[in-house]
């Protein structure tokens, strides 16, 4: 699964670890789940504090061992709802709460995305995005999504400092997620070419 592999590689990247070590609290809390249709979310690794390479390696080991499965439909609204519930169960407290949404399709199943997005923003949660843009048919034989980056810009991300980074195909996903994690952790301004802050967003 190329998306998961991208996260596995990014979390051990020295630039990501350096961003964590340079932060005010010198650690982050992270949970990882995979999602598809409105009722399909699979928690792979629950909330874990990452402060250094050993703790990142332990997280990556658990994530790599979790089974991979998927479904045809795409419910970003369902993923946002599930993420909000995970924040309610988070034993860690920090100054920011951020949801990272990555995917290669629009919301096509379940609750209206605008409603779920508005609920997250009202709770002070920032939503950042990583649309995967490519010209290949999906694994289900349907045509590739057009202007997915603009869809993420206009309909997905939100909150103070919200941004998105485009992955030009699954092969560049690891580099894109690494750049995204460094920016989120370090709160660095984004190059205008790839990252676009639109409305106040939250993590």
């Amino acid at each position: 699964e190329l998306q998961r592999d991208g996260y596995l590689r990014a979390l051990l990247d020295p630039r990501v670890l350096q961003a964590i070590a340079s932060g005010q609290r010198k650690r982050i809390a992270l949970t990882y789940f995979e999602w598809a249709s409105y009722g399909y979310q699979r928690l792979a690794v629950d909330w874990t504090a990452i402060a250094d390479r050993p703790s990142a390696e332990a997280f990556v080991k658990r994530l790599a061992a979790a089974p991979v499965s998927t479904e045809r439909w795409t419910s970003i609204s369902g993923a946002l709802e599930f993420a909000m519930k995970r924040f309610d169960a988070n034993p860690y407290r920090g100054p920011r709460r951020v949801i990272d949404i990555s995917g290669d399709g629009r919301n096509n199943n379940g609750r209206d995305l605008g409603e779920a997005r508005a609920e997250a923003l009202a709770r002070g949660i920032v939503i950042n995005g990583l649309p995967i843009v490519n010209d290949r048919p999906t694994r289900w034989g349907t045509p590739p999504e057009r202007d997915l980056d603009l869809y993420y810009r206009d309909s997905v991300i939100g909150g103070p400092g919200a941004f998105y980074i485009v992955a030009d195909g699954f092969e560049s996903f690891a580099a894109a997620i690494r750049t995204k994690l460094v920016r989120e952790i370090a709160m660095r301004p984004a190059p205008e070419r790839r990252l676009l802050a639109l409305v106040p967003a939250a993590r």
Side-chain angles (χ1 to χ4, degrees):
E1 223 283 344
L2 291 173
Q3 287 191 64
R4 182 187 289 191
D5 183 65
Y7 279 98
L8 294 173
R9 291 161 59 187
L11 287 170
L12 295 178
D13 189 281
R15 286 159 286 195
V16 172
L17 296 175
Q18 178 58 38
I20 294 172
S22 300
Q24 182 179 7
R25 303 197 177 190
K26 302 188 184 307
R27 67 175 186 166
I28 62 171
L30 186 67
T31 187
Y32 182 98
F33 67 94
E34 294 169 339
W35 52 277
S37 65
Y38 186 67
Y40 185 98
Q41 297 90 30
R42 298 292 183 268
L43 181 64
V45 183
D46 208 350
W47 289 106
T48 303
I50 297 179
D52 49 24
R53 187 170 187 87
S55 54
E57 288 176 344
F59 186 97
V60 164
K61 183 177 180 180
R62 291 167 60 197
L63 179 55
V68 177
S69 60
T70 188
E71 262 191 2
R72 178 169 186 156
W73 300 105
T74 300
S75 182
I76 300 174
S77 59
L80 292 179
E81 286 185 1
F82 187 81
M84 285 187 275
K85 292 176 182 176
R86 297 315 307 151
F87 278 122
D88 292 339
N90 182 10
Y92 302 97
R93 293 294 176 264
R96 292 184 295 140
R97 293 182 297 168
V98 180
I99 298 173
D100 282 331
I101 291 285
S102 65
D104 60 352
R106 288 170 167 78
N107 193 79
N108 59 27
N109 183 255
R111 183 183 177 190
D112 177 75
L113 173 57
E115 293 178 359
R117 177 181 178 272
E119 182 180 336
L121 299 184
R123 294 179 58 177
I125 298 171
V126 176
I127 306 167
N128 293 331
L130 204 162
I132 305 168
V133 178
N134 62 86
D135 57 3
R136 297 178 302 176
T138 69
R139 73 184 73 185
W140 314 108
T142 55
E145 297 278 7
R146 296 181 59 85
D147 299 324
L148 187 63
D149 52 341
L150 304 183
Y151 177 78
Y152 265 65
R153 183 194 70 184
D154 298 336
S155 303
V156 178
I157 71 170
F163 68 96
Y164 71 94
I165 295 181
V166 176
D168 294 314
F170 286 95
E171 292 74 15
S172 67
F173 184 81
I177 192 60
R178 180 197 66 220
T179 301
K180 186 169 183 290
L181 286 173
V182 169
R183 165 128 196 258
E184 284 172 338
I185 295 166
M187 292 294 287
R188 292 178 181 171
E192 191 172 323
R193 176 176 157 275
R194 277 299 184 198
L195 308 178
L196 183 62
L198 289 179
V199 293
R203 170 178 182 168

Coordinates of all heavy atoms in Angstrom, one line a residue, residues 2-3 102-106 130-150 152 165-173 194:
L2 N 0.9 2.0 -1.1 CA 1.8 3.0 -1.3 C 1.7 4.2 -0.4 O 2.6 4.8 0.1 CB 1.8 3.5 -2.8 CG 2.3 2.5 -3.8 CD1 2.0 3.0 -5.2 CD2 3.8 2.3 -3.6
Q3 N 0.4 4.5 0.0 CA 0.2 5.6 0.9 C 0.8 5.3 2.3 O 1.5 6.1 2.9 CB -1.3 5.9 1.1 CG -1.9 6.6 -0.2 CD -3.2 7.1 0.1 OE1 -3.4 8.0 1.0 NE2 -4.2 6.6 -0.5
S102 N -5.3 12.5 3.3 CA -4.6 12.2 2.0 C -5.5 11.2 1.3 O -6.1 10.3 1.8 CB -3.2 11.6 2.2 OG -3.3 10.3 2.9
G103 N -5.6 11.4 0.0 CA -6.4 10.5 -0.9 C -6.4 10.9 -2.3 O -5.8 11.9 -2.7
D104 N -7.0 10.1 -3.1 CA -7.0 10.3 -4.6 C -8.4 10.5 -5.2 O -8.6 10.2 -6.4 CB -6.2 9.2 -5.3 CG -6.9 7.8 -5.1 OD1 -7.8 7.7 -4.2 OD2 -6.5 6.8 -5.7
G105 N -9.3 10.9 -4.3 CA -10.7 11.0 -4.8 C -11.5 12.0 -4.0 O -11.1 12.4 -2.9
R106 N -12.6 12.4 -4.6 CA -13.6 13.3 -3.9 C -14.5 12.6 -2.9 O -14.6 11.3 -3.0 CB -14.4 14.0 -4.9 CG -13.7 15.1 -5.7 CD -14.6 15.6 -6.9 NE -14.1 16.8 -7.5 CZ -13.1 16.8 -8.4 NH1 -12.5 15.7 -8.7 NH2 -12.7 18.0 -8.9
L130 N -3.5 16.3 1.5 CA -2.5 15.8 0.5 C -3.2 15.1 -0.6 O -3.3 13.9 -0.5 CB -1.5 14.9 1.3 CG -0.1 14.8 0.6 CD1 1.0 14.3 1.6 CD2 -0.1 14.0 -0.6
P131 N -3.7 15.8 -1.6 CA -4.3 15.1 -2.7 C -3.3 14.4 -3.6 O -2.2 15.0 -3.9 CB -5.0 16.3 -3.5 CG -4.2 17.5 -3.1 CD -3.7 17.3 -1.7
I132 N -3.6 13.2 -4.0 CA -2.7 12.5 -4.9 C -3.3 12.6 -6.3 O -4.3 12.1 -6.6 CB -2.7 11.0 -4.5 CG1 -2.2 10.9 -3.0 CG2 -1.7 10.2 -5.4 CD1 -2.4 9.5 -2.4
V133 N -2.6 13.3 -7.1 CA -3.0 13.7 -8.5 C -2.3 12.8 -9.5 O -1.1 12.8 -9.5 CB -2.8 15.2 -8.8 CG1 -3.2 15.5 -10.2 CG2 -3.6 16.0 -7.8
N134 N -3.0 12.0 -10.3 CA -2.4 11.2 -11.4 C -3.4 11.1 -12.5 O -4.5 11.4 -12.4 CB -1.9 9.9 -10.8 CG -3.1 9.1 -10.3 OD1 -3.7 8.3 -11.1 ND2 -3.4 9.2 -9.0
D135 N -2.8 10.5 -13.6 CA -3.7 10.4 -14.8 C -4.1 9.0 -15.1 O -4.5 8.6 -16.2 CB -3.0 11.0 -16.0 CG -1.6 10.4 -16.3 OD1 -1.2 9.4 -15.5 OD2 -0.9 10.8 -17.2
R136 N -3.9 8.1 -14.1 CA -4.2 6.7 -14.3 C -5.7 6.4 -13.8 O -6.1 7.0 -12.8 CB -3.3 5.8 -13.5 CG -1.8 5.9 -14.0 CD -0.9 5.0 -13.1 NE -1.0 5.4 -11.7 CZ -0.4 4.7 -10.7 NH1 0.3 3.7 -11.0 NH2 -0.6 5.1 -9.4
P137 N -6.4 5.5 -14.4 CA -7.7 5.0 -13.9 C -7.5 4.5 -12.5 O -6.4 4.0 -12.1 CB -8.1 3.9 -14.8 CG -7.3 4.2 -16.1 CD -6.0 4.7 -15.7
T138 N -8.5 4.6 -11.7 CA -8.4 4.1 -10.3 C -8.3 2.6 -10.3 O -8.5 1.9 -11.4 CB -9.7 4.5 -9.5 OG1 -10.8 3.8 -10.0 CG2 -9.9 6.0 -9.6
R139 N -8.1 2.0 -9.2 CA -8.0 0.5 -9.1 C -9.3 -0.2 -9.4 O -9.3 -1.4 -9.7 CB -7.5 0.1 -7.7 CG -8.6 0.3 -6.6 CD -8.0 -0.1 -5.3 NE -7.1 1.0 -4.8 CZ -6.5 0.9 -3.6 NH1 -6.5 -0.2 -2.9 NH2 -5.7 1.9 -3.3
W140 N -10.4 0.6 -9.4 CA -11.7 0.1 -9.7 C -12.1 0.3 -11.2 O -13.2 -0.1 -11.6 CB -12.8 0.7 -8.8 CG -12.3 0.8 -7.4 CD1 -12.0 1.8 -6.7 CD2 -12.2 -0.3 -6.5 NE1 -11.6 1.5 -5.4 CE2 -11.7 0.2 -5.2 CE3 -12.4 -1.7 -6.6 CZ2 -11.5 -0.6 -4.1 CZ3 -12.2 -2.5 -5.5 CH2 -11.7 -2.0 -4.3
G141 N -11.2 0.9 -12.0 CA -11.4 1.1 -13.4 C -12.1 2.4 -13.7 O -12.5 2.6 -14.9
T142 N -12.4 3.2 -12.7 CA -13.0 4.5 -13.0 C -12.0 5.5 -13.4 O -10.8 5.4 -13.1 CB -13.8 5.0 -11.8 OG1 -12.9 5.0 -10.7 CG2 -14.9 4.0 -11.4
P143 N -12.4 6.6 -14.2 CA -11.5 7.6 -14.6 C -10.8 8.3 -13.4 O -11.4 8.4 -12.3 CB -12.3 8.6 -15.4 CG -13.6 7.8 -15.8 CD -13.8 6.8 -14.6
P144 N -9.6 8.8 -13.6 CA -8.9 9.6 -12.6 C -9.7 10.9 -12.3 O -10.4 11.4 -13.1 CB -7.5 9.9 -13.2 CG -7.7 9.8 -14.6 CD -8.8 8.8 -14.9
E145 N -9.6 11.3 -11.0 CA -10.2 12.6 -10.6 C -9.5 13.8 -11.3 O -8.3 13.9 -11.3 CB -10.2 12.7 -9.1 CG -10.9 11.7 -8.4 CD -12.4 11.9 -8.3 OE1 -12.9 12.9 -8.9 OE2 -13.1 11.2 -7.6
R146 N -10.3 14.7 -11.8 CA -9.8 15.9 -12.4 C -9.8 17.0 -11.3 O -10.8 17.2 -10.6 CB -10.6 16.3 -13.6 CG -10.6 15.3 -14.8 CD -11.4 15.8 -15.9 NE -10.9 17.1 -16.4 CZ -9.9 17.2 -17.3 NH1 -9.3 16.1 -17.8 NH2 -9.5 18.4 -17.7
D147 N -8.8 17.9 -11.4 CA -8.7 19.0 -10.5 C -8.9 18.7 -9.0 O -9.5 19.4 -8.2 CB -9.8 20.1 -10.9 CG -9.6 20.6 -12.3 OD1 -8.4 20.7 -12.7 OD2 -10.6 20.8 -13.0
L148 N -8.3 17.5 -8.6 CA -8.5 17.1 -7.2 C -7.8 18.1 -6.3 O -8.2 18.3 -5.2 CB -7.9 15.7 -7.1 CG -8.1 15.1 -5.7 CD1 -9.6 14.9 -5.4 CD2 -7.4 13.7 -5.6
D149 N -6.7 18.7 -6.7 CA -6.0 19.7 -5.9 C -6.9 20.9 -5.6 O -6.9 21.3 -4.5 CB -4.7 20.1 -6.6 CG -4.9 20.6 -8.0 OD1 -5.9 20.3 -8.6 OD2 -4.0 21.3 -8.5
L150 N -7.6 21.3 -6.6 CA -8.5 22.4 -6.4 C -9.7 22.1 -5.5 O -10.2 22.9 -4.7 CB -9.1 23.0 -7.7 CG -8.0 23.4 -8.7 CD1 -8.7 23.9 -10.0 CD2 -7.1 24.4 -8.1
Y152 N -9.5 19.8 -3.0 CA -9.0 19.9 -1.6 C -8.8 21.3 -1.1 O -9.1 21.6 0.0 CB -7.6 19.1 -1.6 CG -7.7 17.7 -1.2 CD1 -8.4 16.8 -2.0 CD2 -7.1 17.3 0.0 CE1 -8.5 15.4 -1.6 CE2 -7.2 15.9 0.4 CZ -7.9 15.0 -0.4 OH -8.0 13.7 0.0
I165 N -0.6 20.0 0.1 CA 0.5 19.7 -0.8 C 0.1 18.7 -1.8 O -0.5 17.7 -1.4 CB 1.8 19.2 0.0 CG1 2.3 20.3 1.0 CG2 2.9 18.7 -0.9 CD1 3.5 19.8 1.8
V166 N 0.4 18.9 -3.0 CA 0.0 17.9 -4.1 C 1.1 16.9 -4.2 O 2.3 17.2 -4.3 CB -0.1 18.7 -5.4 CG1 -0.4 17.7 -6.5 CG2 -1.3 19.7 -5.3
A167 N 0.7 15.6 -4.2 CA 1.6 14.5 -4.6 C 1.3 14.2 -6.1 O 0.2 13.8 -6.4 CB 1.3 13.3 -3.7
D168 N 2.3 14.4 -6.9 CA 2.1 14.1 -8.3 C 2.2 12.6 -8.6 O 3.3 12.1 -9.1 CB 3.1 14.9 -9.2 CG 2.8 16.4 -9.1 OD1 1.7 16.8 -9.2 OD2 3.8 17.1 -8.8
G169 N 1.2 11.8 -8.2 CA 1.3 10.4 -8.4 C 1.7 9.7 -7.1 O 2.2 10.4 -6.2
F170 N 1.4 8.5 -7.0 CA 1.7 7.7 -5.7 C 3.3 7.6 -5.5 O 3.7 7.5 -4.4 CB 1.1 6.3 -5.8 CG -0.4 6.3 -5.6 CD1 -1.2 6.3 -6.7 CD2 -0.9 6.3 -4.3 CE1 -2.6 6.3 -6.5 CE2 -2.3 6.3 -4.1 CZ -3.1 6.3 -5.2
E171 N 4.0 7.7 -6.6 CA 5.5 7.5 -6.5 C 6.1 8.7 -5.7 O 7.1 8.5 -5.0 CB 6.1 7.4 -7.8 CG 5.8 6.1 -8.6 CD 4.4 6.1 -9.2 OE1 3.8 7.2 -9.2 OE2 3.9 5.0 -9.5
S172 N 5.5 9.9 -5.8 CA 6.1 11.0 -5.1 C 5.4 11.3 -3.7 O 5.7 12.3 -3.1 CB 5.9 12.3 -5.9 OG 4.5 12.6 -6.1
F173 N 4.6 10.3 -3.3 CA 3.8 10.5 -2.1 C 4.7 10.6 -0.8 O 4.5 11.5 0.0 CB 2.8 9.4 -1.9 CG 1.9 9.5 -0.7 CD1 0.8 10.4 -0.7 CD2 2.2 8.9 0.5 CE1 0.0 10.5 0.4 CE2 1.4 9.1 1.7 CZ 0.3 9.9 1.6
R194 N 3.3 25.3 -4.0 CA 2.7 24.0 -3.7 C 1.7 24.1 -2.5 O 0.9 23.3 -2.4 CB 3.9 23.1 -3.2 CG 4.5 22.4 -4.4 CD 3.6 21.6 -5.2 NE 4.2 20.9 -6.2 CZ 3.6 20.3 -7.2 NH1 2.3 20.5 -7.4 NH2 4.3 19.7 -8.1

